[in-house]
């Protein structure tokens, strides 16, 4: 047990830090700094911490409506969970396939040997079933292309189109990327969407071989993991530790302006200190895209067999379907299925994602769920539902004032692993910088000699 868990207040360095934003990035950077004996004030404009990681209780079940899992390619999030005492509750999803709803034809299991929908075996039967024989043949041309063709593509979409053609892009990569990242392949850079893919392409000589190489190098087991009781437990544990470390956490604290030496609150108060911004748009306009989630709690024995595995990704343009993805949460997470069973037989949780809100979205979501899952669902099967909307921020292109640091999704890109890793790295660098200031008796800024 560390000092924070015993409730001890650490000795504080003389230079305070103000963290603006209480999402996971802000919480992690505040924790790391406080553990380095630096005085930290964390300001959150809303009435809760966690940002896009949040809990919703429906039909007596605690559910994640933001992030529900974390990537296991690195141990970043798992290491944090272990430090917070959650190691025993890290769980893998059920070993079921995800499915794909194509533009035409029936839903089918997603090809099993791909990365973000990019196949490592273009002529595999499940790839042919998804893109057709001509689409698969075009994708196989990737194997004989010069390795540098497309290697300088900026977006993932451009890379896939150049190397494998439109069919693989439109029928596999686009629905997978849109469902996973809430953005089209054209909006995601290759290096952020799939770190190491470009280098693997140049090493192996083809995109399909590069995907195979990255898959072989990935840790054994599921590509994602979760936490029993929900990812929101990370936020609960981080909040408890911040209080134990003596961090001044303020909710409802709207920041009007930011400078290298502090922030100005809406009420006129000035909070002095080095500044770390973890709030999208705080430093200027930041591109955002709406993320809308419809959560349905259903009572239907037809869903007991998990007819579409852990859920489906939907190809853009699939007729009559508004949803971009569906997750059958009680099929994906055994711990949640156990808790649902405690509320009576046949209880299931289904989550659908949409590009925008609609006044009739609960009805639309129920219809989409029925179509995608291949079972007849009616209003009488619906126990409870909720619609949750937020804005997902893209990587910020606004200039960052000298002396101010940026963490969170706008700095690290999407995904808990990227956000946590970037926040920890930023905190270590800032703590080192502050230690240098304290030792030398004169201020230094990151990036200055």
């Amino acid at each position: 047990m560390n000092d924070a868990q015993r409730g001890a207040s650490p000795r504080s360095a003389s230079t305070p830090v103000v963290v603006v934003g209480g999402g996971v990035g802000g919480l992690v950077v505040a924790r790391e700094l406080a553990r380095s004996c630096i005085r930290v004030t964390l300001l959150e404009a809303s009435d809760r911490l966690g940002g896009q990681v949040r809990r919703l209780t429906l039909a007596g079940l605690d559910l994640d409506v933001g992030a529900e899992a974390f990537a296991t390619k690195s141990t970043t999030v798992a290491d944090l969970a272990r430090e917070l005492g959650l190691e025993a509750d890290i769980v893998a999803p059920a070993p079921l396939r995800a499915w794909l709803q194509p533009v035409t034809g029936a839903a089918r299991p997603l090809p099993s040997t791909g990365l973000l929908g990019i196949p490592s075996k273009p002529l595999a039967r499940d790839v042919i079933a998804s893109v057709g024989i001509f689409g698969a043949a075009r994708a196989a041309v990737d194997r004989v292309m010069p390795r540098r063709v497309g290697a300088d593509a900026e977006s993932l979409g451009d890379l896939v189109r150049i190397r494998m053609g439109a069919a693989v892009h439109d029928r596999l990569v686009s629905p997978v990327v849109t469902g996973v990242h809430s953005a089209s392949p054209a909006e995601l850079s290759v290096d952020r969407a799939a770190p190491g893919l470009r280098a693997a392409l140049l090493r192996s000589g083809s995109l399909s071989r590069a995907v195979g190489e990255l898959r072989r190098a990935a840790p054994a087991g599921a590509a994602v993991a979760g936490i029993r009781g929900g990812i929101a437990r990370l936020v609960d544990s981080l909040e408890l530790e911040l209080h134990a470390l003596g961090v001044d956490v303020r909710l409802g604290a709207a920041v009007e302006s930011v400078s290298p030496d502090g922030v100005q609150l809406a009420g006129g108060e000035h909070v002095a200190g080095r500044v770390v911004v973890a709030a999208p748009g705080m430093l200027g306009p930041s591109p955002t895209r709406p993320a809308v989630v419809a959560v349905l709690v259903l009572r239907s024995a037809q869903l007991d067999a998990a007819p579409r595995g852990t859920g489906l990704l939907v190809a853009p343009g699939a007729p009559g379907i508004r949803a971009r993805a569906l997750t059958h949460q009680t099929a994906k997470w055994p711990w949640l299925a156990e808790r649902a069973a405690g509320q009576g037989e046949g209880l299931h949780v289904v989550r659908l994602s949409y590009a925008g809100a609609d006044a009739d979205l609960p009805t639309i979501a129920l219809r989409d769920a029925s179509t995608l899952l291949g079972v007849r669902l009616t209003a009488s099967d619906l126990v409870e539902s909720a619609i949750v909307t937020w804005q997902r921020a893209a990587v910020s292109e606004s200039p960052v004032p000298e002396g101010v640091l940026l963490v969170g999704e706008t700095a690290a890109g999407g995904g808990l692993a990227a956000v946590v890793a970037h926040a920890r790295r930023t905190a270590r660098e800032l703590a080192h910088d502050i230690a240098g200031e304290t030792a030398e008796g004169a201020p230094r800024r990151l990036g200055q000699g």
Side-chain angles (χ1 to χ4, degrees):
M1 180 179 292
N2 59 34
D3 287 345
Q5 291 169 322
R6 284 193 290 266
S9 296
R11 176 179 57 82
S12 296
S14 59
T15 302
V17 174
V18 183
V19 178
V20 181
V24 170
L27 296 175
V28 170
V29 81
R31 172 184 183 261
E32 298 299 317
L33 291 169
R35 282 160 57 93
S36 296
C37 301
I38 294 169
R39 289 184 290 124
V40 181
T41 299
L42 187 145
L43 306 173
E44 167 55 44
S46 74
D47 60 357
R48 67 172 188 87
L49 299 174
Q52 293 179 21
V53 176
R54 60 179 298 182
R55 177 185 291 109
L56 176 70
T57 302
L58 290 179
L61 300 172
D62 287 339
L63 308 170
D64 285 318
V65 290
E68 62 159 358
F70 56 87
T72 56
K73 186 175 182 180
S74 75
T75 63
T76 302
V77 180
D79 289 343
L80 176 63
R82 292 185 185 99
E83 292 170 18
L84 295 170
L86 298 173
E87 180 176 8
D89 291 324
I90 297 174
V91 292
L96 300 173
R97 294 273 290 274
W99 285 52
L100 174 68
Q101 175 62 55
V103 174
T104 58
R108 59 180 65 94
L110 197 65
S112 59
T113 59
L115 173 70
L116 292 176
I118 307 169
S120 66
K121 299 177 180 179
L123 296 177
R125 288 184 178 181
D126 51 8
V127 176
I128 294 172
S130 296
V131 304
I133 186 61
F134 295 109
R138 168 61 183 88
V141 173
D142 161 69
R143 293 277 179 140
V144 297
M145 280 183 178
R147 68 185 64 212
R148 293 197 171 275
V149 172
D152 59 351
E154 284 295 323
S155 76
L156 184 67
D158 287 343
L159 175 62
V160 173
R161 284 183 181 277
I162 292 169
R163 299 289 314 190
M164 292 191 169
V168 164
H169 176 277
D170 297 347
R171 300 182 195 178
L172 285 177
V173 177
S174 183
V176 172
V177 168
T178 301
V180 172
H181 291 283
S182 297
S184 74
E187 296 175 292
L188 293 176
S189 73
V190 174
D191 299 322
R192 283 194 177 276
L197 182 62
R198 194 191 306 273
L201 163 60
L202 292 172
R203 278 195 307 271
S204 67
S206 78
L207 184 57
S208 56
R209 291 191 188 97
V211 168
E213 178 183 315
L214 294 182
R215 285 181 59 87
R216 288 190 296 274
V224 298
I227 294 176
R228 183 178 292 105
I231 293 292
R233 289 185 62 201
L234 273 179
V235 174
D236 298 338
S237 298
L238 283 166
E239 182 176 8
L240 286 172
E241 188 158 341
L242 292 189
H243 287 301
L245 287 164
V247 175
D248 181 10
V249 178
R250 305 190 199 178
L251 300 179
V255 173
E256 278 195 343
S257 62
V258 170
S259 70
D261 299 312
V263 304
Q264 191 80 15
L265 298 183
E269 179 186 356
H270 180 76
V271 183
R274 298 286 295 273
V275 177
V276 179
V277 173
M282 193 68 246
L283 299 178
S286 179
T288 61
R289 52 186 182 272
V292 182
V293 171
V295 184
L296 311 179
V297 180
L298 302 159
R299 195 175 295 282
S300 171
Q302 299 176 85
L303 299 180
D304 290 348
R308 296 295 184 265
T310 58
L312 305 94
L313 298 163
V314 182
I321 299 172
R322 291 268 302 276
R324 299 191 296 189
L326 177 150
T327 303
H328 189 167
Q329 290 187 282
T330 38
K332 184 173 183 178
W333 300 111
W335 68 264
L336 182 56
E338 292 173 7
R339 296 187 183 184
Q343 303 289 336
E345 293 183 0
L347 195 68
H348 291 269
V349 179
V350 171
R351 185 172 89 163
L352 301 99
S353 62
Y354 291 87
D358 188 297
D360 201 30
L361 197 55
T363 301
I364 293 169
L366 183 62
R367 184 183 67 226
D368 284 350
S370 183
T371 301
L372 292 169
L373 292 167
V375 301
R376 186 173 182 272
L377 299 171
T378 67
S380 63
D381 299 311
L382 185 62
V383 177
E384 197 169 355
S385 67
I387 306 296
V388 180
T389 303
W390 67 88
Q391 295 292 324
R392 293 195 64 177
V395 175
S396 176
E397 297 180 358
S398 300
V400 180
E402 184 180 351
V404 174
L405 299 175
L406 185 65
V407 299
E409 192 175 34
T410 53
L416 280 177
V419 168
V420 170
H422 181 267
R424 298 188 93 159
R425 185 168 62 250
T426 300
R428 287 195 300 269
E429 292 171 357
L430 180 54
H432 182 268
D433 193 53
I434 288 174
E437 291 180 5
T438 304
E440 296 172 12
R444 274 192 313 128
R445 295 302 189 202
L446 291 181
Q448 296 183 348

